C-alpha cells in the first residue's frame, strides 16, 4: 500500500497552519493575554494559623473569590511539609474591601490566624526583563541558523527557525483564546518547547542530508527524497512525542493547581512541535531549495550560418 505523499501535499499543511495562525493573531490583538501576578504585581499575605492547615484548605476558601490560582506556600522546619501553621499567599492585587472579605473567609473556613505580614508588591517580571527574554530568544534563533548552516546548510537553519516561530505563535494563540494565566513558568515552558521541537526537526534534517549524499541523483525527485527521510524517522518521532505527552498529561491531571498552566503549555507545544517537525520544517526546506536553485532561462544564441 503506497504511503501518503507528505511533501507533495505541503501546501495543505501550510494552509492548516495559516488557519490557526491568522485567527490567533486576531485573538491576541482583541483579547490579549491573562497575565499573572509575576507580570502585574499583587498582594502578599503572610499568615500564622492556630493549627496546621493544608494547601487544599486554603485554596478551597480562596476559590470562592476565583483566587484558587494564587501562589500558596507552606513554611516549616522540614521541606515538603503537607500542613503547616505558617502560610504565605501571593495573589492578584486586591482592593481594601476585597482583601477584608478574603481574610474573613479564611478565618471562617480554615481557622483563626494572626497576620505576620500584608503588603502590595510590584511585578517580578518587568518590561525590561520581558524585552531581554525576547532578545535572548531571537539571538538563540540566529545562533541556531548559524550552527545548522555550518553543520548542514543555511536553508535547513532558516526552515528550522521558521518552524519554531510557528510553534510559539500557536501556543501564544491558544493561551490568548483560552485566557489561561501567563506567568514566569510559561516562559520556562516556551523555552522547553523550543528545545524539544528543534531536536525533533534536526533528526529529520540529518536523515535528509544522509539521503542527499547516498541516494539523490542530479535532477532527482526532491519530494520523494523528503518523504523517504520522514518515514524513516517517523516511528522514532512518534514514540518520543507520545512518551513525552503521556508524562506531561499525568503532570496536568494529577499535579497541583500551580502546575496546570505550565503542563498545558507543554502539552500544546509538544503536540504542535511534533506536527511542525514532520509536516512544516522539511516542507519549508523544499520551498527554499526550489526558489534558491531556480535559474532564469537564458535564451539560446541563434546559430550563425557558415560563410561559403
Amino acid at each position: 500500500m503506497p504511503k501518503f505523499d507528505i511533501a507533495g501535499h505541503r501546501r495543505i499543511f501550510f494552509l492548516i497552519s495559516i488557519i490557526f495562525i491568522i485567527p490567533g493573531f486576531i485573538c491576541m490583538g482583541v483579547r490579549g493575554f491573562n497575565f499573572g501576578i509575576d507580570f502585574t504585581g499583587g498582594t502578599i499575605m503572610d499568615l500564622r494559623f492556630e493549627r496546621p492547615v493544608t494547601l487544599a484548605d486554603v485554596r478551597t476558601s480562596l476559590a470562592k473569590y476565583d483566587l484558587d490560582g494564587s501562589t500558596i506556600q507552606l513554611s516549616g522546619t522540614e521541606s515538603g511539609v503537607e500542613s503547616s501553621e505558617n502560610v504565605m499567599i501571593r495573589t492578584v492585587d486586591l482592593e481594601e474591601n476585597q482583601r477584608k472579605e478574603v481574610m474573613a473567609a479564611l478565618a471562617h473556613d480554615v481557622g483563626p490566624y494572626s497576620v505576620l505580614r500584608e503588603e502590595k508588591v510590584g511585578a517580578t517580571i518587568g518590561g525590561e526583563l520581558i524585552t531581554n527574554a525576547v532578545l535572548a530568544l531571537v539571538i538563540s534563533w540566529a545562533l541556531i541558523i548559524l550552527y545548522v548552516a555550518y553543520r548542514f546548510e543555511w536553508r535547513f537553519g532558516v526552515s528550522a527557525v521558521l518552524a519554531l516561530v510557528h510553534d510559539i505563535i500557536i501556543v501564544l494563540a491558544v493561551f490568548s483564546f483560552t485566557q489561561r494565566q501567563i506567568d514566569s513558568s510559561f516562559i520556562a515552558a516556551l523555552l522547553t518547547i523550543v528545545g524539544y521541537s528543534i531536536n525533533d526537526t534536526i533528526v529529520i534534517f540529518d536523515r535528509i542530508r544522509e539521503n542527499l549524499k547516498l541516494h539523490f541523483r542530479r535532477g532527482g525527485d526532491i519530494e520523494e527524497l523528503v518523504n523517504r527521510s520522514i518515514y524513516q524517522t517517523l516511528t522514532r518521532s512518534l514514540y518520543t512525542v507520545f512518551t513525552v505527552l503521556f508524562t506531561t498529561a499525568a503532570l496536568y491531571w494529577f499535579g497541583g493547581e500551580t502546575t496546570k498552566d505550565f503542563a498545558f503549555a507543554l502539552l500544546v507545544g509538544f503536540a504542535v512541535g511534533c506536527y511542525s517537525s514532520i509536516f512544516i520544517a522539511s516542507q519549508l526546506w523544499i520551498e527554499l531549495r526550489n526558489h534558491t536553485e531556480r535559474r532564469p532561462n537564458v535564451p539560446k544564441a541563434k546559430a550563425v550560418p557558415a560563410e561559403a
Side-chain angles (χ1 to χ4, degrees):
M1 183 176 180
K3 295 181 178 179
F4 180 73
D5 183 9
I6 296 176
H9 292 84
R10 59 185 176 277
R11 285 175 176 78
I12 296 177
F13 301 120
F14 292 160
L15 180 61
I16 292 173
S17 294
I18 291 173
I19 289 173
F20 281 95
I21 289 173
I22 292 180
F25 276 126
I26 296 174
C27 185
M28 286 185 276
V30 174
R31 301 189 67 183
F33 298 99
N34 177 21
F35 289 108
I37 57 177
D38 289 337
F39 292 90
T40 61
T43 300
I44 286 184
M45 294 179 289
D46 200 355
L47 312 176
R48 181 178 178 85
F49 287 86
E50 294 183 358
R51 63 174 182 83
V53 299
T54 64
L55 288 175
D57 295 334
V58 179
R59 201 175 299 280
T60 301
S61 180
L62 294 177
K64 298 178 180 179
Y65 301 92
D66 295 327
L67 300 176
D68 48 322
S70 304
T71 302
I72 305 171
Q73 294 177 316
L74 302 179
S75 58
T77 57
E78 298 179 0
S79 60
V81 291
E82 296 183 358
S83 63
S84 175
E85 298 173 354
N86 296 329
V87 179
M88 187 178 74
I89 303 170
R90 182 181 175 118
T91 186
V92 296
D93 193 9
L94 300 175
E95 298 295 335
E96 183 66 18
N97 59 337
Q98 293 176 313
R99 182 187 57 78
K100 288 182 178 179
E101 290 180 10
V102 170
M103 297 185 76
L106 286 170
H108 179 270
D109 299 334
V110 184
Y113 60 83
S114 57
V115 179
L116 302 180
R117 179 173 59 129
E118 180 187 350
E119 61 181 347
K120 290 187 177 182
V121 295
T124 57
I125 302 180
E128 183 179 353
L129 290 178
I130 296 176
T131 302
N132 290 338
V134 173
L135 181 61
L137 197 59
V138 172
I139 292 175
S140 70
W141 288 343
L143 293 176
I144 287 172
I145 292 177
L146 292 175
Y147 176 74
V148 176
Y150 171 73
R151 295 300 303 269
F152 297 87
E153 63 174 39
W154 68 269
R155 287 169 295 203
F156 281 121
V158 172
S159 302
V161 169
L162 288 177
L164 292 179
V165 175
H166 162 279
D167 300 343
I168 289 182
I169 289 174
I170 292 181
V171 173
L172 289 172
V174 170
F175 266 70
S176 176
F177 179 76
T178 60
Q179 286 295 292
R180 284 183 170 270
Q181 191 175 98
I182 291 179
D183 53 18
S184 56
S185 65
F186 178 77
I187 296 177
L190 286 184
L191 296 175
T192 305
I193 292 165
V194 167
Y196 172 85
S197 183
I198 190 64
N199 177 71
D200 219 18
T201 301
I202 290 300
V203 169
I204 296 177
F205 282 173
D206 187 55
R207 185 55 59 92
I208 292 175
R209 181 182 63 171
E210 290 179 2
N211 287 334
L212 275 171
K213 293 179 180 179
L214 298 177
H215 305 291
F216 193 67
R217 297 291 181 268
R218 195 170 191 81
D221 188 352
I222 196 67
E223 293 180 3
E224 192 278 332
L225 178 84
V226 169
N227 281 331
R228 177 191 300 177
S229 302
I230 291 174
Y231 280 110
Q232 286 174 347
T233 57
L234 185 61
T235 301
R236 179 258 183 208
S237 298
L238 293 180
Y239 283 171
T240 302
V241 72
F242 283 135
T243 302
V244 174
L245 286 177
F246 289 153
T247 306
T248 310
L251 177 63
Y252 177 79
W253 289 109
F254 303 110
E257 287 293 327
T258 54
T259 62
K260 282 193 179 297
D261 291 331
F262 173 75
F264 181 77
L266 292 182
L267 282 172
V268 175
F270 290 156
V272 174
C274 180
Y275 169 80
S276 68
S277 296
I278 297 173
F279 299 104
I280 300 297
S282 52
Q283 327 313 326
L284 288 172
W285 176 77
I286 293 176
E287 293 293 332
L288 285 175
R289 181 184 173 93
N290 289 342
H291 280 81
T292 55
E293 293 194 351
R294 187 176 298 163
R295 296 290 182 268
N297 293 325
V298 180
K300 295 181 179 179
K302 294 182 179 180
V304 179
E307 295 183 359

